Amino acid sequence: MTPMQILFLITGVVILFSAVMAVSARKMIHSALWFVLALLGVAVVFAMLEASFFAVVQVLIYVGAIAILIIFGVMLTRRALEDNGKHINRATITTTVIVIFVFAGLIYSLRLWVPLLATTTPLSSDHLDVGSLGLAFTDPRQFSLPFEITSVLLLAALIGAIYIAYERKDEKK
Amino acid sequence: MIPLWWYLILSAAIFCIGLFGAITRKNSIGILISIELMLNAANINLLAFWRYLYAQQGDLRGQVFVIIIFVVAASEAAVGLAMIISAYRRKQTVIANEIDSMKG
């Protein structure tokens, strides 16, 4: 056991525990806070994969934006949360069986796959350069089209979110 | 060094937890949280594959996918919460079973 492996196991246990709490906590605000912990654990995993740029982006976008948005959503809809008894529906046992089958299927489909045991050497510093990713995104022969499509998607989501959440006066009763 | 399959099993487990939450949660915001967990599992998988199979050749495709998933997750959270708040304003509920006006 190297220190990296021990760190990975601790991070994995933290992520899995907080993910379980996030999907099963009764109060929505607790669920959102456990979700933040799971996201921070995922950021640690990204850092262990030597993708430090993505670890920072994970903290910025997920913890900084998405989690805050979800907490706002929880707070704006608070009244409906703690009333009627059960917070999960009747299908719990069936769903547990389905999920266990999905997990077993994923593990089973992996077991004979050769690159599974791949290990790797630490990356040299020129592979860790974020600038090459930025250049790849602006290079027309590489990823500039996906980049532009992604930005159009983001713009469409922005406009759509404003339009949907906008309170129209004529519909108010 | 950590072998690749540790990451794959971790991400499979997070995905399954998210799937469980997405099916069983009654609260729409809980469903949204579960979907975000599943997207995170996909991101771990993509970055692990990138790191172990492609990073040494300087291939950036895995990272590009991860950035696109970040954008998709952010737009999905924004539109999803806008819809939930809009539905809450009209029906005073965020319970997914009770938002059924589009049911045939």
Side-chain angles (χ1 to χ4, degrees):
Chain A
M1 284 293 235
T2 62
M4 273 304 258
Q5 290 177 329
I6 294 168
L7 183 62
F8 180 88
L9 289 179
I10 294 170
T11 317
V13 168
V14 169
I15 295 174
L16 291 180
F17 179 73
S18 47
V20 167
M21 292 306 289
V23 300
S24 63
R26 173 170 289 275
K27 285 191 173 176
M28 222 42 233
I29 192 82
H30 294 177
S31 178
L33 293 175
W34 281 113
F35 175 62
V36 170
L37 184 59
L39 294 178
L40 287 172
V42 173
V44 173
V45 170
F46 286 175
M48 292 171 79
L49 283 165
E50 292 183 66
S52 46
F53 173 65
F54 290 94
V56 174
V57 169
Q58 170 87 5
V59 173
L60 272 178
I61 295 186
Y62 267 100
V63 182
I66 295 180
I68 297 301
L69 211 59
I70 286 175
I71 290 173
F72 264 119
V74 171
M75 287 174 165
L76 287 173
T77 59
R78 197 192 259 297
R79 239 180 315 145
L81 298 179
E82 281 128 30
D83 42 7
N84 43 8
K86 289 191 70 179
H87 63 299
I88 49 179
N89 60 23
R90 284 164 301 161
T92 313
I93 295 166
T94 325
T95 313
T96 312
V97 173
I98 292 172
V99 165
I100 286 171
F101 267 104
V102 169
F103 186 68
L106 285 172
I107 302 300
Y108 182 77
S109 64
L110 280 177
R111 87 204 158 344
L112 288 178
W113 191 54
V114 180
L116 206 59
L117 297 173
T119 52
T120 181
T121 51
L123 291 176
S124 60
S125 59
D126 56 324
H127 284 129
L128 297 173
D129 189 13
V130 184
S132 59
L133 182 64
L135 286 178
F137 263 124
T138 49
D139 186 355
R141 279 163 306 166
Q142 293 192 58
F143 304 111
S144 69
L145 183 64
F147 181 70
E148 296 300 333
I149 292 173
T150 311
S151 56
V152 171
L153 171 70
L154 203 54
L155 181 68
L158 195 73
I159 297 170
I162 293 171
Y163 179 75
I164 291 170
Y166 185 68
E167 190 171 8
R168 280 173 285 277
K169 290 283 180 286
D170 51 321
E171 287 180 17
K172 259 181 113 178
K173 280 162 201 157
Chain B
M1 201 66 199
I2 303 160
L4 174 58
W5 61 274
W6 286 27
Y7 289 104
L8 300 188
I9 287 183
L10 175 67
S11 96
I14 298 173
F15 182 86
C16 289
I17 293 169
L19 183 63
F20 177 83
I23 300 176
T24 54
R25 272 286 190 186
K26 274 184 171 176
N27 193 313
S28 312
I29 298 175
I31 295 174
L32 208 60
I33 288 178
S34 309
I35 293 172
E36 298 290 346
L37 276 178
M38 291 200 278
L39 286 170
N40 261 292
N43 268 348
I44 291 179
N45 242 358
L46 286 170
L47 272 182
F49 281 127
W50 166 76
R51 176 70 185 79
Y52 282 81
L53 303 179
Y54 296 100
Q56 305 286 4
Q57 293 96 24
D59 192 332
L60 290 171
R61 279 176 292 178
Q63 294 197 344
V64 171
F65 262 111
V66 174
I67 296 238
I68 291 175
I69 290 189
F70 270 123
V71 173
V72 169
S75 355
E76 181 236 319
V79 176
L81 281 167
M83 284 170 68
I84 290 168
I85 287 171
S86 174
Y88 179 74
R89 193 180 288 140
R90 276 151 220 226
K91 304 182 81 97
Q92 304 299 311
T93 180
V94 287
I95 309 298
N97 290 349
E98 295 168 10
I99 306 171
D100 56 358
S101 49
M102 283 179 76
K103 211 172 187 175

